[in-house]
Amino acid sequence: MSSTEATIDPQVAVPRRASAIEMPVLDLGDWLAGGAIEPLVAQFEAACTNTGFLYVRNHGIPRAAVDAVFDATRRYFSLSMEERLKDKIDERFRRGFMPYGVTQHPGHKPDLKESYELGVDLPATDPDVQAGLPLHGPNRWPADKPWLKEAAEAYFGHTVALGKNLLRIFATALEQPEDFFLQWCRKPMVQSRLFHYPPQSSPTALELGAAAHTDYGMLTILAQDPIGGLELRTRSGEWVAAPYIEDTLVINLGDMVKVWTNDTYVSNPHRVANRTGRERFSIPTFFNLDYATPVACLPQFQSLENPPRHAPVKSGDYLVKRFSEVQKYKTPAQLQAA
């Protein structure tokens, strides 16, 4: 080993490309056209018990919608910081522009990313909004930039539809009725984030585009740009790269699935290291169930010898708690007391 190699922090060394076993590509085309779900279920289950990551193609989201939301994202983040700060995120509904420095994972510097946040658009008259239910509310859009709302909301609608389809595969894999999770999609807590990562010449263990973390909820649907930068840690502890594959989306599991499956399905840590010297853009959609969804270990994943390892939890309470650990987030009660 050379002296140069010896000084490289292994946490940020350039990883190898993920294998097809570590990140398989599932083709949804035949199933969405009316074919059998079983072949997809077997592939999905294998990925969920291995790394919790996979790609999907022929997923039903038009290429034009993906291109349009990336074009709008690049256009928005080319505006001056002064202009973007006019849309700064509101603390109650968590919608709008989120500047650098808001997200910080324990033991790390703040993530080197900024974003525009949107979710299920609920009117101010909605009973849950009036009751102050966290993360429920209207989206926030700059009136002079209709192109941002048009592209983002169109893409968001497609990802909600895809998320519900993925939940059908997920439920079948868990030996539940295909619509098992859909009963908790009355007002699903779905959030999209238009991410911008600046160039970073030399990622360090303490400062990355996104520090190593697991997602919190059910499923994440990620559209990457060709630059790549997403890296995941396998169950053996090795970091591998999840490269851009044209016309695919990355799907990964969040921590809530471990509660349902008693740690049988995994939510592996992942990070973003922008090593290219260029701007990186990505658009994750975090698909979560209704706030009041009761999340608990399913019967087939527990026994006297293997009791539930996680206490039952209400979906929304768990998400709010996790958000507050890494973001400058205030609950409605905290806002009222301030």
Side-chain angles (χ1 to χ4, degrees):
M1 179 183 293
S2 69
S3 59
T4 301
E5 291 173 330
T7 61
I8 294 176
D9 187 330
Q11 294 187 52
V12 292
V14 178
R16 64 172 175 82
R17 181 186 176 106
S19 70
I21 294 177
E22 291 161 333
M23 285 197 67
V25 180
L26 274 64
D27 191 325
L28 306 186
D30 287 346
W31 174 58
L32 293 179
I37 195 173
E38 286 75 18
L40 288 176
V41 169
Q43 294 174 292
F44 182 83
E45 185 174 16
C48 290
T49 54
N50 184 14
T51 61
F53 276 79
L54 56 113
Y55 296 92
V56 291
R57 63 161 44 103
N58 293 320
H59 40 65
I61 301 181
R63 175 65 180 268
V66 178
D67 290 344
V69 74
F70 271 110
D71 288 345
T73 301
R74 294 186 185 96
R75 182 177 176 183
Y76 183 79
F77 286 105
S78 71
L79 301 173
S80 69
M81 180 61 73
E82 180 182 12
E83 183 70 17
R84 283 177 278 156
L85 284 173
K86 295 177 182 177
D87 313 314
K88 189 174 180 181
I89 194 166
D90 60 90
E91 292 206 40
R92 180 181 176 189
F93 301 130
R94 310 300 289 174
R95 309 290 209 274
F97 170 62
M98 184 182 287
Y100 297 112
V102 174
T103 301
Q104 183 171 7
H105 297 274
H108 295 268
K109 295 181 179 180
D111 287 351
L112 278 177
K113 66 174 186 282
E114 54 184 344
S115 62
Y116 202 96
E117 315 272 318
L118 64 144
V120 174
D121 194 24
L122 299 173
T125 55
D126 183 275
D128 288 330
V129 177
Q130 291 185 331
L133 196 64
L135 304 175
H136 287 63
N139 285 327
R140 181 178 184 181
W141 299 111
D144 59 342
K145 304 173 186 66
W147 42 268
L148 180 65
K149 176 182 178 180
E150 180 181 357
E153 287 194 337
Y155 177 76
F156 182 82
H158 287 298
T159 59
V160 170
L162 174 58
K164 290 180 178 179
N165 280 328
L166 292 171
L167 288 179
R168 292 165 60 196
I169 299 173
F170 191 5
T172 306
L174 299 183
E175 302 176 8
Q176 300 297 318
E178 198 172 305
D179 61 354
F180 174 72
F181 290 118
L182 300 184
Q183 66 182 305
W184 295 300
C185 287
R186 184 179 64 91
K187 290 181 188 174
M189 297 178 67
V190 185
Q191 182 185 41
S192 280
R193 309 181 72 183
L194 314 180
F195 274 143
H196 169 235
Y197 297 86
Q200 187 179 13
S201 57
S202 55
T204 70
L206 292 179
E207 188 173 43
L208 291 164
H213 66 284
T214 55
D215 290 345
Y216 310 146
M218 290 288 290
L219 298 168
T220 301
I221 301 167
L222 174 70
Q224 297 194 82
D225 71 5
I227 285 178
L230 173 65
E231 300 169 358
L232 63 131
R233 193 175 71 195
T234 66
R235 298 188 84 170
S236 67
E238 180 185 10
W239 285 97
V240 296
Y244 169 81
I245 300 178
E246 189 172 6
D247 293 327
T248 69
L249 299 169
V250 176
I251 309 298
N252 67 275
L253 303 183
D255 292 337
M256 212 167 288
V257 304
K258 299 194 295 184
V259 182
W260 292 108
T261 67
N262 217 15
D263 291 340
T264 301
Y265 282 18
V266 297
S267 55
N268 273 348
H270 52 284
R271 67 190 183 191
V272 173
N274 185 9
R275 310 168 187 277
T276 64
R278 294 179 288 169
E279 293 178 297
R280 177 186 188 265
F281 299 89
S282 70
I283 303 170
T285 298
F286 303 97
F287 198 106
N288 297 300
L289 304 174
D290 294 346
Y291 193 102
T293 302
V295 183
C297 182
L298 293 168
Q300 69 268 33
F301 293 102
Q302 58 179 293
S303 64
L304 290 175
E305 296 76 24
N306 184 32
R309 304 173 190 179
H310 307 277
V313 65
K314 188 183 294 184
S315 175
D317 289 346
Y318 179 78
L319 291 172
V320 169
K321 177 179 181 295
R322 294 295 301 273
F323 277 132
S324 66
E325 292 171 353
V326 298
Q327 292 183 3
K328 297 171 183 176
Y329 176 82
K330 293 182 180 179
T331 66
Q334 291 171 323
L335 288 171
Q336 188 174 7

